[in-house]
Amino acid sequence: MVPPPAAFRDPVAPPGSREAGFALIAVIWMIGLIGLMLVTYIAAARYRAIEARAAAQIARAEAGAEGAVNLAILDLLADLPKGESMGARFGSGGRPRLCALEDGTILAVAVANESGKVDLNGATPDLVAALIRGVAPEARAAVRSLLRLREAAQNAKDQAQTQQNQTPQAQAGQLQAGQVRQSQESRETPAFRSAVELARVPGVDRALFETLLPMVTTHTGSPGLNAQVAATATLLAVTGARSRAEAERANAAFFLAQAPGRVFLIRGEAVTRTGARVAREAVVEFTPGPPVAYSIREWREGGPQAPLAPAGSGGGAPC
């Protein structure tokens, strides 16, 4: 039998070549896997760097917003010993004033005198009803719900006062029933501790809440409001007038004497060059002393309101 030509013979692999092929494939897979891990690491590092820069900008904006609140507090404190109208630099009508920091961050500082607002706890029912109906005439359910909450809080307060005036023997019996502590808590708890609690009143939707929030307070306990420092929107709502001058001439029964008050809502907002935006709000009470002092009654985050000037655009004088 004639053997086949060499070209048609089955090639015979040299010893160890099959193992070398598997090793080459393994090396290629390993290189690919290492490359994939390297790309993943680079991408993760990039996203971490972006996240860190964003966090730094937010922290810068938070510091700016808190600094704006402190700046307004110092301005108000400086006016107290002089006997001048408080809020000479930033006003007291709630209109934001812009200023710029050296790094280009824009600050908006707004100061509002709380005596020009309607106190949710202390205002007369007629004033509360006039405010809500002046903003939303159809919100009768909200008026009824708010007044019922106030009435319930007042009833609890009266009951607590009655229990306090009872004889020691009667108080001892109630102490065993755990009623005295509950009475003390009721006496110290008003219907509303903060203006933002208005959102929980049945009948107050989001739109109505956002409209009423700048017009109400819980820190004066006043049955009326000071028309001299009240915002124009508040005056128009409670009087039904078409202009501020007409509203002031109305001389409504719930207008108080021209007592400016010493409680202010201070809003500080900051926007950085990259667009990070943070707002802080504080309700601050000032005492003329001596010594001159202040106390922060409430501190909260504030949502963005009107657009500010772009950071770095030169909007506002230096702070």
Side-chain angles (χ1 to χ4, degrees):
M1 182 178 182
V2 180
F8 295 98
R9 296 178 183 175
D10 294 333
V12 179
S17 61
R18 182 169 300 179
E19 289 79 2
F22 282 118
L24 179 60
I25 294 175
V27 170
I28 294 174
W29 273 98
M30 187 64 66
I31 293 174
L33 185 59
I34 293 174
L36 180 61
M37 293 175 62
L38 182 61
V39 171
T40 303
Y41 175 79
I42 293 174
R46 179 173 178 271
Y47 285 119
R48 281 196 297 269
I50 294 174
E51 183 179 357
R53 285 195 297 269
Q57 290 299 315
I58 292 176
R60 184 185 297 273
E62 288 178 348
E66 294 175 3
V69 173
N70 292 325
L71 185 63
I73 290 175
L74 292 175
D75 175 68
L76 293 168
L77 283 174
D79 292 339
L80 269 178
K82 304 174 185 176
E84 298 176 355
S85 176
M86 297 184 67
R89 179 180 180 187
F90 299 108
S92 60
R95 182 179 179 182
R97 308 289 177 88
L98 301 183
C99 65
L101 299 180
E102 293 181 356
D103 64 356
T105 300
I106 299 298
L107 301 184
V109 185
V111 179
N113 195 319
E114 294 287 89
S115 67
K117 300 181 181 181
V118 177
D119 192 286
L120 294 176
N121 297 309
T124 62
D126 290 341
L127 177 54
V128 173
L131 175 66
I132 297 179
R133 291 170 182 168
V135 171
E138 71 284 356
R140 296 183 178 87
V143 176
R144 291 193 298 267
S145 299
L146 193 152
L147 294 180
R148 277 199 296 264
L149 286 173
R150 294 198 343 171
E151 183 179 359
Q154 184 62 42
N155 291 339
K157 182 178 179 180
D158 294 341
Q159 183 179 4
Q161 187 65 38
T162 302
Q163 293 175 355
Q164 185 183 22
N165 297 334
Q166 289 178 347
T167 62
Q169 294 80 4
Q171 290 187 2
Q174 293 177 352
L175 180 61
Q176 295 179 354
Q179 297 176 359
V180 172
R181 179 178 298 177
Q182 183 178 2
S183 300
Q184 293 174 348
E185 293 176 353
S186 299
R187 187 171 63 252
E188 298 170 356
T189 304
F192 298 92
R193 293 183 177 180
S194 171
V196 297
E197 293 182 358
L198 183 65
R200 66 180 174 87
V201 175
V204 177
D205 57 18
R206 183 178 182 87
L208 181 57
F209 168 73
E210 292 178 350
T211 303
L212 289 175
L213 185 60
M215 305 179 183
V216 297
T217 182
T218 59
H219 298 287
T220 65
S222 173
L225 58 84
N226 185 345
Q228 184 180 14
V229 298
T232 300
T234 304
L235 290 180
L236 299 185
V238 299
T239 62
R242 291 175 293 182
S243 67
R244 184 180 184 92
E246 181 183 348
E248 292 177 347
R249 288 195 302 268
N251 194 22
F254 40 76
F255 285 175
L256 300 179
Q258 306 299 335
R262 301 295 183 187
V263 183
F264 294 83
L265 172 65
I266 301 174
R267 175 184 172 88
E269 190 169 359
V271 56
T272 65
R273 287 182 178 273
T274 60
R277 188 173 181 177
V278 174
R280 293 289 184 267
E281 295 178 350
V283 178
V284 186
E285 181 179 11
F286 296 85
T287 53
V292 174
Y294 71 93
S295 61
I296 296 179
R297 290 191 174 189
E298 189 176 346
W299 182 274
R300 61 184 184 238
E301 295 184 5
Q305 294 183 348
L308 301 181
S313 64
C319 295

